[in-house]
Amino acid sequence: MKSKVVFIGAGPGDPDLITVKGRNIIEQADIIIYAGSLVNKEVLNVRKDDCEVYNSAVLNLDEIINIIKDGIADDKLIARVHTGDPSIYGAIGEQIRELNENNIEYEIIPGVSSVFGTASVLEKELTLPEISQTVIITRPEGRTPKPKKESISSLSKHEATMCIFLGVGMIDKVVEDLLVGYNEDTPVAVVKKATWEDQEIIEGTLKDIATKVKDANITKTAMIIVGDILNPGDFTPSKLYDANFKHEYR
């Protein structure tokens, strides 16, 4: 394969959840730059013996780009391995901008986001008829600023299914903002390291989830999912498999 950069979504943790296409690139790569402890290093086990491996957790953007530029100059294939799917909070935008400015070819291979890894271990569908047909993916404002119209308190007024990245470390503030729209009995699940062998699942409501999370000492690497889809009770089934409904996409 010719020299270029391939951004790869490594999936949420389980090494078998990387795509076949992503694994094939890792097998062929001359250089791998992976996103630190967020990526299960087992996905790198298929690499070549002489592959150069860099942990981007200890690198800044300029250092990453310099490794890439040197590798491209030596006609090497570079795998840039991100956790989950790189298009969601993957910080690939600024890397792509640099690659474009340097006329470096790249492609993106999607991955299984931790949103969907979390839904899978909770054994839930995020969209149920008449309960929620909308999924909001967001994060609280921290060092990375957010547009004011995208505050959690504002988004909570939709009462849709909400999936919150990077919020467990400020769980009290997140709950306070969620209560602007949702009621305190709304179900919540917090899943640490979904699909990893050491995953943890905490379930509750907006009334008690902050206490449960702090009692479990979960401070990072967790997804928060909020909404009635977590405890839907009875609900109207989809029309997709209705015996009287003809559908060209069934």
Side-chain angles (χ1 to χ4, degrees):
M1 182 173 287
K2 64 181 179 179
S3 175
K4 64 178 174 180
V5 178
V6 183
F7 293 94
I8 298 170
D14 182 340
D16 288 334
L17 289 177
I18 191 171
T19 63
V20 173
K21 189 172 184 179
R23 182 172 287 168
N24 287 343
I25 294 296
I26 290 174
E27 289 176 348
Q28 300 171 60
D30 302 300
I31 296 173
I32 293 173
I33 307 171
Y34 73 98
S37 62
L38 298 175
V39 171
N40 189 334
K41 289 185 72 174
E42 288 185 32
V43 304
L44 308 182
N45 288 347
V46 297
R47 70 186 184 275
K48 299 187 297 187
D49 290 340
D50 60 348
C51 178
E52 300 173 41
V53 180
Y54 298 90
N55 179 354
S56 64
V58 297
L59 302 172
N60 61 41
L61 179 60
D62 289 341
E63 291 169 331
I64 292 168
I65 298 302
N66 285 335
I67 291 169
I68 290 173
K69 288 162 68 175
D70 289 345
I72 295 297
D74 291 334
D75 199 30
K76 293 183 176 180
L77 175 64
I78 302 169
R80 179 66 173 107
V81 183
H82 285 263
T83 183
D85 182 279
S87 67
I88 301 178
Y89 305 122
I92 65 171
E94 56 261 43
Q95 296 174 72
I96 288 171
R97 182 169 58 192
E98 294 288 334
L99 298 184
N100 285 332
E101 290 179 358
N102 286 277
N103 296 312
I104 294 173
E105 184 179 352
Y106 60 89
E107 73 170 284
I108 301 171
I109 297 175
V112 178
S113 170
S114 57
V115 167
F116 308 119
T118 299
S120 75
V121 302
L122 290 173
E123 300 178 342
K124 299 296 182 182
E125 181 178 351
L126 298 178
T127 54
L128 292 173
E130 299 181 1
I131 293 178
S132 178
Q133 292 288 283
T134 300
V135 178
I136 297 171
I137 297 174
T138 190
R139 58 166 296 175
E141 185 167 28
R143 288 180 297 179
T144 301
K146 288 181 65 175
K148 290 183 178 179
K149 291 182 179 179
E150 294 183 11
S151 67
I152 288 177
S153 57
S154 177
L155 296 173
S156 72
K157 296 175 184 178
H158 296 285
E159 298 184 59
T161 305
M162 192 182 298
C163 305
I164 303 171
F165 283 74
L166 304 166
V168 74
M170 53 183 81
I171 188 68
D172 287 321
K173 174 60 175 170
V174 169
V175 168
E176 177 186 338
D177 288 346
L178 289 168
L179 286 170
V180 171
Y182 299 94
N183 68 61
E184 65 178 9
D185 294 321
T186 302
V188 187
V190 174
V191 181
K192 178 182 178 181
K193 299 182 76 172
T195 79
W196 293 67
E197 289 185 359
D198 58 345
Q199 73 179 20
E200 295 181 54
I201 299 174
I202 306 295
E203 296 179 280
T205 66
L206 286 176
K207 185 189 303 181
D208 60 17
I209 195 66
T211 298
K212 288 184 175 183
V213 164
K214 286 183 280 190
D215 287 346
N217 197 31
I218 296 176
T219 59
K220 59 182 180 179
T221 326
M223 175 70 60
I224 303 169
I225 294 187
V226 186
D228 289 333
I229 56 92
L230 293 171
N231 187 18
D234 192 24
F235 60 91
T236 303
S238 167
K239 290 292 186 183
L240 183 60
Y241 297 108
D242 189 312
N244 299 311
F245 189 69
K246 301 302 179 184
H247 197 302
E248 65 177 305
Y249 298 113
R250 181 182 290 175

